[in-house]
């Protein structure tokens, strides 16, 4: 695992290491304010690694609310995305609106040579994702997808252990993600409106949380494409999610292993965890920092160890530091990295196949 650093040191790293002068800041724009995680970027405006040059948002009331909360000027806000990009000329734009608009953002940014980072998943469909990828390649921009779990130290440690061969090859991977549901956890009305819309989100819990498992497995297997996908979806909260599924179980088959994704808006608590069952033992990434390992002994015994892992070194735990490092060519992401375009195209293949499988009630074979 990359050299670890305590969270305490990381928090002090930003203002010190990034106090490098205005010319070093990344010129960053924000497309949309309706995503519930937009506070992630707005709360970091003054820390020094990027300059917020523009925001596009048609909901002026929402923009004014955030301007008061985070202290930015409404002069930064444009109702039209194209106009904002043309007048502010950012180096990169981050997408914090609905997932359907990801394609529109890339269509506007790519021809201008502006790099794009979207919140997971990459797109609402494989068709949208492929068009986005074509634009990114044609205009030679970075197109990254931000997942919270990309920089969990437990996930990285689990992969290193697998690659060491100590536990043998992975046979079954189970990834569980989700919470009690958008309405139950109290997301904002502008977020709830599109998150539970099958067009704007591409689905419900299947898209919102199914993408994590597909993303992690594609990374663990260094880009291996599955043979088939089988999915079952349910709507257990019709009163809260009338237009979309709120529970999905997805079985993704490979020649010598299997992935089970349990994506749900019906968990009693929030969770993002992964279990890897290998030939000689099991790895449990219970959360961001706690990893349990069980090495098999004899017929049914095992030796268990629990470790508390520190955060990864910057820029990896922070999406905006990472975006800057990639844009400025300070780092190059490995092929099929969790943020990478090639990884997330396979993710969209899996999600599209899962939706088709659930709709038709049969296994979908991937070409």
């Amino acid at each position: 695992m990359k050299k670890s650093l305590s969270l305490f040191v990381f928090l002090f790293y930003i203002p010190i290491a990034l106090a490098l002068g205005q010319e070093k800041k990344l010129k960053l724009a924000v497309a949309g304010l309706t995503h519930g995680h937009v506070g992630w970027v707005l709360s970091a405006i003054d820390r020094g690694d990027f300059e917020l040059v523009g925001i596009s948002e048609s909901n002026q009331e929402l923009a004014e609310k955030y301007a008061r909360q985070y202290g930015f000027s409404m002069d930064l806000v444009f109702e039209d995305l194209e106009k904002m990009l043309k007048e502010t000329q950012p180096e990169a734009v981050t997408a914090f609106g609905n997932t359907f608009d990801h394609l529109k953002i890339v269509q506007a940014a790519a021809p201008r040579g502006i790099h794009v980072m979207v919140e997971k998943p990459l797109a609402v469909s494989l068709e949208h994702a492929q068009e986005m990828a074509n634009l990114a390649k044609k205009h030679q921009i970075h197109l990254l997808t931000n997942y919270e779990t990309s920089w969990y130290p437990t996930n990285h440690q689990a992969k290193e252990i697998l690659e060491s061969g100590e536990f043998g090859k992975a046979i079954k991977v189970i990834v569980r993600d989700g919470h009690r549901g958008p309405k139950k956890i109290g997301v904002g009305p502008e977020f709830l409106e599109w998150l539970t819309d099958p067009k704007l989100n591409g689905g419900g819990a299947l898209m919102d949380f199914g993408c994590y498992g597909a993303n992690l497995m594609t990374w663990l297997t260094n880009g291996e494409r599955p043979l088939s996908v089988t999915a079952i979806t349910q709507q257990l909260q019709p009163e809260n999610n009338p237009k979309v599924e709120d529970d999905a179980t997805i079985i993704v088959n490979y020649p010598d292993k299997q992935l089970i994704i349990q994506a749900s808006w019906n968990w009693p608590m929030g969770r993002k965890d992964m279990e890897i069952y290998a030939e000689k033992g099991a790895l449990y990434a219970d959360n961001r920092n706690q990893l349990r390992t069980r090495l098999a002994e004899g017929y049914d015994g095992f030796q268990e160890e629990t470790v508390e892992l520190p955060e990864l070194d910057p820029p990896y735990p922070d999406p905006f530091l990472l975006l800057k490092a990639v844009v400025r060519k300070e780092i190059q992401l490995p092929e099929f990295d969790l943020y990478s375009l090639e990884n997330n195209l396979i993710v969209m293949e899996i999600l599209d196949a899962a939706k088709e499988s659930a709709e038709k009630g049969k296994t979908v074979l991937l070409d």
Side-chain angles (χ1 to χ4, degrees):
M1 188 168 63
K2 301 175 183 71
K3 184 181 178 183
S4 59
L5 189 70
S6 71
L7 184 58
F8 177 83
V9 174
F10 170 64
L11 291 173
F12 280 87
Y13 165 91
I14 295 170
I16 296 172
L18 294 173
L20 300 176
Q22 185 73 15
E23 73 281 3
K24 296 294 185 180
K25 293 181 180 181
L26 180 73
K27 292 181 64 178
L28 186 67
V30 174
L33 294 173
T34 60
H35 197 294
H37 299 164
V38 71
W40 202 348
V41 64
L42 297 179
S43 63
I45 291 174
D46 297 324
R47 76 183 187 190
D49 52 303
F50 67 83
E51 176 191 2
L52 183 61
V53 297
I55 298 170
S56 65
E57 176 53 60
S58 59
N59 185 336
Q60 292 299 288
E61 184 179 348
L62 178 63
E64 289 172 358
K65 183 189 82 170
Y66 280 129
R68 291 191 299 270
Q69 183 176 350
Y70 293 101
F72 61 82
S73 170
M74 282 297 291
D75 292 340
L76 294 176
V77 180
F78 296 75
E79 292 192 29
D80 179 72
L81 172 66
E82 294 269 1
K83 184 178 180 182
M84 185 269 286
L85 295 178
K86 180 180 178 181
E87 293 192 13
T88 64
Q89 298 184 5
E91 295 175 75
V93 58
T94 57
F96 281 100
N98 66 70
T99 310
F100 187 85
D101 283 348
H102 288 180
L103 173 58
K104 179 178 73 175
I105 293 166
V106 175
Q107 287 172 331
R112 294 180 166 90
I114 299 170
H115 306 283
V116 180
M117 183 172 72
V118 302
E119 291 299 290
K120 60 78 190 169
L122 173 61
V124 294
S125 67
L126 180 59
E127 181 183 3
H128 271 211
Q130 288 173 331
E131 186 173 347
M132 292 162 66
N134 291 339
L135 285 165
K137 292 171 184 175
K138 178 181 178 180
H139 298 285
Q140 298 184 355
I141 68 161
H142 294 289
L143 175 52
L144 307 181
T145 305
N146 179 37
Y147 293 79
E148 178 190 342
T149 52
S150 289
W151 309 114
Y152 276 20
T154 47
N155 292 336
H156 286 262
Q157 184 69 49
K159 187 179 187 191
E160 285 198 5
I161 292 172
L162 271 183
E163 291 178 343
S164 74
E166 180 185 1
F167 280 62
K169 294 180 181 179
I171 297 171
K172 188 182 294 290
V173 178
I174 304 173
V175 182
R176 301 182 181 93
D177 291 279
H179 47 52
R180 291 180 295 141
K183 192 167 185 179
K184 283 189 174 182
I185 67 170
V187 305
E190 63 281 346
F191 191 22
L192 182 65
E193 183 179 2
W194 70 258
L195 194 57
T196 56
D197 185 297
K199 176 183 176 181
L200 299 181
N201 190 39
L206 186 151
M207 293 295 289
D208 189 28
F209 286 114
C211 57
Y212 286 98
N215 177 245
L216 287 166
M217 189 66 165
T218 302
W219 173 62
L220 289 172
T221 61
N222 298 309
E224 185 176 356
R225 294 177 66 249
L227 300 175
S228 67
V229 177
T230 309
I232 297 174
T233 60
Q234 292 177 278
Q235 189 187 65
L236 302 180
Q237 298 181 49
E239 70 282 6
N240 293 328
N241 313 302
K243 299 178 183 178
V244 292
E245 83 290 336
D246 51 40
D247 206 272
T249 300
I250 307 168
I251 301 173
V252 187
N253 278 308
Y254 297 81
D256 59 354
K257 64 184 76 71
Q258 184 183 84
L259 166 67
I260 299 174
I261 301 172
Q262 296 178 335
S264 181
W265 288 344
N266 293 289
W267 297 115
M269 75 291 287
R271 66 186 306 176
K272 290 185 175 73
D273 52 85
M274 175 172 65
E275 299 176 4
I276 301 173
Y277 297 91
E279 296 169 307
K280 302 176 184 178
L283 308 169
Y284 303 91
D286 290 325
N287 50 50
R288 184 182 188 105
N289 299 102
Q290 292 177 327
L291 178 72
R292 289 182 294 130
T293 61
R294 287 184 176 180
L295 194 59
E297 291 182 340
Y299 175 69
D300 58 359
F302 58 85
Q303 180 181 358
E304 180 166 305
E305 180 182 356
T306 301
V307 292
E308 184 82 18
L309 298 171
E311 292 297 317
L312 303 179
D313 276 352
Y316 295 100
D318 185 283
F320 311 109
L321 287 177
L322 178 66
L323 175 62
K324 179 185 176 184
V326 170
V327 169
R328 295 286 172 81
K329 300 181 180 179
E330 295 166 2
I331 64 171
Q332 182 176 350
L333 296 177
E335 191 176 19
F336 298 108
D337 180 83
L338 292 157
Y339 266 38
S340 71
L341 182 55
E342 60 270 18
N343 179 310
N344 285 284
L345 283 172
I346 295 176
V347 170
M348 292 311 306
E349 281 192 86
I350 293 171
L351 295 180
D352 255 28
K355 288 192 285 186
E356 181 183 349
S357 173
E359 181 181 346
K360 295 181 178 179
K362 65 178 185 179
T363 296
V364 174
L365 302 178
L366 274 66
D367 295 333

